[in-house]
Amino acid sequence: MFKKILIANRGDVALRIHRACREMGIKTVAVHSTADEDAMHVRLADESVCIGPPPARDSYLNIPAILSAAAITHADAIHPGVGFLSENAAFAEIVEAHGITFIGPSPAHIQSMGDKITAKRTMIELGIPCVPGSEGPVEGVAAAREEADRIGYPVLIKAAAGGGGRGMKVAETAENLEEAYTMARRESAAAFGNDAVYMERYLGRPRHIEIQIAADSHGNVIHLGERDCSIQRRHQKVIEEAPSPALTQAEREAIGARAVAAVQQMGYRSLGTLEFLYENGEFFFIEMNTRLQVEHPITEAITGIDLVRLQIEIAAGRALGIEQKDVTFNGHAIECRITAEDPRTFQPRPGKIDDYHQPGGLGVRVDSALYAGYSVPPHYDSLVAKLVVHGTTREECLMRVERALGEYVIGGIPTTIPLHAALIQAPAFRSGDYHIRWLETEFLTS
Ligand code: ADP
């Protein structure tokens, strides 16, 4: 097992990884920008190294600085966390070339799944159903028109390198195709330095359902059930729950088994998530994430499995140690992503936390790096806390989320706690009858 892990991340994710390491007897190295000198992940780690100024490109994305930090602290592995360098195949390769273990899949798998066109092709070959769309990149407005006529409107133009819902535009009719196509390309170029786009049928009212898988380097693969991430704004997840209120046990087992078979055939190693849209009883693959997911705690809550620990053990070459039949699902879990944003306009509102009290009690977990006196810096993602609640039933879980949100005090800055409190009471959410556009087109407009 590793003796020391460098955590190439910040915030609640860095803390999450630190906690797993501590429980495994592994020392931790925090890296941080000058804006994060007082951050909780830096305070708790065994060692810390400053890797640059506040902008992420100069610090958390600064590969030479991170490698130097690993070298001078003699870290034997690097955990990339979520975001930043976690899906950067070149980074994974450079880390390995320096004799340090990258805690994640092989660079080749990061590369192939990171290109969403290649990922879809691979899944089609492996017999996984995908959203109908273009077979490869779509180059030029004329080609886009041809594809759209073939696929049928409305169509979605998506960035091949996409992530975080960026570089994605809808063309409702032929009239706005050119504009949507041009905007998607421009946004992709700006966000990812790659303007390749592809096209898909724009599904009307699907749910976003994803399957968590774990694969070791000995060929063992299991799935840990699904997460329903259909409560979204701008294609980004706001609330997630597990299990999905929409699936039957038979559907769960069937899609889980298909995901396991595909991942096994790919020869994939590490944690991974296959994301699907689900409509009228059918699953359509959209992408695979080759890293830990923000919403992993709800899977941990219902399976009792520490996913970060498992990920580290897999990277160290250990076998999974459990088979599919050993995985059991208990109760229901919900995660609220709390951001430092105005709950009405969603404008980021970083600043100083002058009062802090987090909820507790049975079934309540808060993953957050906040504390009273801390200043949320303006340079990074606005996610500041994940409230993860577990109950024996969905009903109990809902009551507990409501109770926990009521106890949560984050003073000094606005947060989306009031939005979550209202959402959790909405009849459509309570009944489980919602889809990916419900939040934006029904809830926020009413
Ligand atoms: P990203 O990598 O940017 O997160 P995804 O492909 O994972 O992009 O899609 C993010 C979200 O965008 C989905 O959860 C869904 O809400 C929406 N979306 C993606 N593809 C489609 C589609 N073909 N039809 C309707 N909505 C879609």
Short mmCIF file of all heavy atoms in Angstrom, two decimals, residues 12 18 53-54 58 73 85 89 100 127 145 165 169 285 299-300 309 317 412 415 421 425 430:
data_model
loop_
_atom_site.label_atom_id
_atom_site.label_comp_id
_atom_site.label_asym_id
_atom_site.label_seq_id
_atom_site.Cartn_x
_atom_site.Cartn_y
_atom_site.Cartn_z
N ASP A 12 -13.79 20.49 -0.65
CA ASP A 12 -14.36 19.30 -0.01
C ASP A 12 -13.81 18.00 -0.60
O ASP A 12 -13.69 17.01 0.11
CB ASP A 12 -15.89 19.34 -0.13
CG ASP A 12 -16.36 19.21 -1.54
OD1 ASP A 12 -16.40 20.23 -2.26
OD2 ASP A 12 -16.68 18.10 -1.97
N HIS A 18 -8.35 13.08 1.77
CA HIS A 18 -7.51 13.10 2.98
C HIS A 18 -8.09 12.16 4.05
O HIS A 18 -7.36 11.39 4.68
CB HIS A 18 -7.41 14.53 3.52
CG HIS A 18 -6.85 14.59 4.90
ND1 HIS A 18 -5.50 14.55 5.16
CD2 HIS A 18 -7.47 14.64 6.11
CE1 HIS A 18 -5.32 14.58 6.47
NE2 HIS A 18 -6.49 14.64 7.07
N PRO A 53 0.08 30.87 -7.94
CA PRO A 53 -0.90 31.92 -7.67
C PRO A 53 -2.35 31.44 -7.85
O PRO A 53 -2.57 30.32 -8.33
CB PRO A 53 -0.54 33.00 -8.69
CG PRO A 53 0.22 32.31 -9.76
CD PRO A 53 0.86 31.10 -9.15
N PRO A 54 -3.34 32.26 -7.48
CA PRO A 54 -4.74 31.83 -7.47
C PRO A 54 -5.31 31.21 -8.75
O PRO A 54 -5.98 30.18 -8.64
CB PRO A 54 -5.50 33.10 -7.08
CG PRO A 54 -4.50 33.90 -6.31
CD PRO A 54 -3.18 33.63 -6.95
N ASP A 58 -2.49 28.31 -13.19
CA ASP A 58 -1.14 28.52 -12.65
C ASP A 58 -0.86 27.68 -11.41
O ASP A 58 0.24 27.68 -10.88
CB ASP A 58 -0.94 30.00 -12.29
CG ASP A 58 -1.10 30.90 -13.50
OD1 ASP A 58 -0.67 30.49 -14.60
OD2 ASP A 58 -1.68 31.99 -13.35
N THR A 73 8.34 15.86 -1.68
CA THR A 73 7.71 15.27 -0.48
C THR A 73 7.77 13.74 -0.51
O THR A 73 7.29 13.08 0.39
CB THR A 73 6.23 15.71 -0.36
OG1 THR A 73 5.55 15.35 -1.58
CG2 THR A 73 6.08 17.20 -0.11
N LEU A 85 -7.20 18.19 -12.94
CA LEU A 85 -6.45 17.29 -13.82
C LEU A 85 -6.98 15.86 -13.82
O LEU A 85 -6.34 14.95 -14.35
CB LEU A 85 -4.97 17.30 -13.41
CG LEU A 85 -4.27 18.65 -13.58
CD1 LEU A 85 -2.93 18.67 -12.86
CD2 LEU A 85 -4.07 18.97 -15.07
N ALA A 89 -5.36 12.94 -19.60
CA ALA A 89 -4.58 11.73 -19.89
C ALA A 89 -3.08 12.03 -19.88
O ALA A 89 -2.28 11.21 -19.40
CB ALA A 89 -4.99 11.15 -21.24
N ILE A 100 5.49 7.51 -10.24
CA ILE A 100 4.47 7.78 -9.21
C ILE A 100 3.16 7.17 -9.71
O ILE A 100 2.86 7.24 -10.92
CB ILE A 100 4.32 9.30 -8.99
CG1 ILE A 100 5.66 9.90 -8.53
CG2 ILE A 100 3.21 9.63 -8.00
CD1 ILE A 100 5.70 11.43 -8.57
N GLY A 127 -22.16 -2.89 -27.61
CA GLY A 127 -23.57 -3.23 -27.50
C GLY A 127 -24.37 -2.39 -26.52
O GLY A 127 -25.46 -2.77 -26.09
N ARG A 145 -26.68 20.43 -41.19
CA ARG A 145 -28.07 20.42 -41.70
C ARG A 145 -28.47 19.01 -42.15
O ARG A 145 -29.55 18.53 -41.85
CB ARG A 145 -28.19 21.34 -42.92
CG ARG A 145 -28.42 22.75 -42.51
CD ARG A 145 -29.02 23.61 -43.62
NE ARG A 145 -28.86 25.00 -43.21
CZ ARG A 145 -29.49 25.57 -42.21
NH1 ARG A 145 -30.37 24.87 -41.52
NH2 ARG A 145 -29.26 26.82 -41.87
N GLY A 165 -21.41 20.63 -18.90
CA GLY A 165 -22.53 21.19 -19.67
C GLY A 165 -22.12 22.29 -20.64
O GLY A 165 -22.98 22.94 -21.24
N LYS A 169 -25.46 23.05 -27.37
CA LYS A 169 -26.52 23.97 -27.81
C LYS A 169 -27.64 23.19 -28.51
O LYS A 169 -27.38 22.27 -29.28
CB LYS A 169 -25.95 25.00 -28.80
CG LYS A 169 -24.92 25.94 -28.21
CD LYS A 169 -25.53 27.00 -27.29
CE LYS A 169 -24.43 27.71 -26.54
NZ LYS A 169 -24.77 28.07 -25.18
N PHE A 285 -26.85 5.73 -23.66
CA PHE A 285 -25.55 6.17 -23.11
C PHE A 285 -25.21 7.57 -23.61
O PHE A 285 -25.39 7.87 -24.80
CB PHE A 285 -24.46 5.18 -23.55
CG PHE A 285 -23.05 5.62 -23.27
CD1 PHE A 285 -22.48 5.37 -22.03
CD2 PHE A 285 -22.30 6.27 -24.24
CE1 PHE A 285 -21.17 5.78 -21.78
CE2 PHE A 285 -20.99 6.68 -23.99
CZ PHE A 285 -20.43 6.43 -22.75
N THR A 299 -23.92 6.88 -3.19
CA THR A 299 -23.67 5.45 -3.42
C THR A 299 -23.03 4.84 -2.17
O THR A 299 -23.38 3.73 -1.76
CB THR A 299 -22.76 5.28 -4.66
OG1 THR A 299 -23.44 5.84 -5.79
CG2 THR A 299 -22.43 3.82 -4.92
N GLU A 300 -22.12 5.59 -1.56
CA GLU A 300 -21.50 5.11 -0.32
C GLU A 300 -22.57 4.90 0.75
O GLU A 300 -22.53 3.93 1.51
CB GLU A 300 -20.45 6.12 0.17
CG GLU A 300 -19.33 6.31 -0.83
CD GLU A 300 -18.19 7.19 -0.31
OE1 GLU A 300 -18.46 8.21 0.35
OE2 GLU A 300 -17.03 6.86 -0.59
N ARG A 309 -11.58 4.83 -0.74
CA ARG A 309 -10.69 3.76 -0.26
C ARG A 309 -10.55 2.68 -1.34
O ARG A 309 -9.45 2.22 -1.65
CB ARG A 309 -11.29 3.16 1.02
CG ARG A 309 -10.42 2.10 1.63
CD ARG A 309 -11.10 1.44 2.83
NE ARG A 309 -10.12 0.65 3.52
CZ ARG A 309 -9.67 0.90 4.74
NH1 ARG A 309 -10.14 1.89 5.44
NH2 ARG A 309 -8.73 0.15 5.28
N GLY A 317 -3.14 -2.03 -6.76
CA GLY A 317 -3.07 -3.38 -7.34
C GLY A 317 -3.87 -4.43 -6.59
O GLY A 317 -3.84 -5.61 -6.94
N GLY A 412 -22.89 35.06 6.34
CA GLY A 412 -21.94 35.98 5.71
C GLY A 412 -22.04 36.00 4.20
O GLY A 412 -21.74 37.01 3.57
N THR A 415 -26.18 31.45 -0.05
CA THR A 415 -25.95 30.11 -0.59
C THR A 415 -27.27 29.60 -1.16
O THR A 415 -28.31 30.23 -0.99
CB THR A 415 -25.49 29.10 0.48
OG1 THR A 415 -26.60 28.80 1.32
CG2 THR A 415 -24.32 29.60 1.30
N ALA A 421 -34.20 23.89 0.10
CA ALA A 421 -35.32 23.73 1.04
C ALA A 421 -36.65 23.79 0.28
O ALA A 421 -37.57 23.03 0.59
CB ALA A 421 -35.24 24.82 2.11
N GLN A 425 -39.49 20.35 -0.98
CA GLN A 425 -40.92 20.34 -0.66
C GLN A 425 -41.81 20.31 -1.89
O GLN A 425 -43.03 20.16 -1.77
CB GLN A 425 -41.26 21.57 0.18
CG GLN A 425 -40.70 21.43 1.57
CD GLN A 425 -41.05 22.60 2.46
OE1 GLN A 425 -41.74 23.51 2.06
NE2 GLN A 425 -40.56 22.54 3.68
N ARG A 430 -41.12 15.40 -4.48
CA ARG A 430 -41.52 14.44 -3.44
C ARG A 430 -42.08 13.16 -4.05
O ARG A 430 -41.85 12.06 -3.54
CB ARG A 430 -42.53 15.06 -2.49
CG ARG A 430 -41.89 16.06 -1.54
CD ARG A 430 -42.77 16.31 -0.31
NE ARG A 430 -42.27 15.58 0.85
CZ ARG A 430 -41.38 16.04 1.71
NH1 ARG A 430 -40.86 17.23 1.54
NH2 ARG A 430 -41.00 15.32 2.75
#
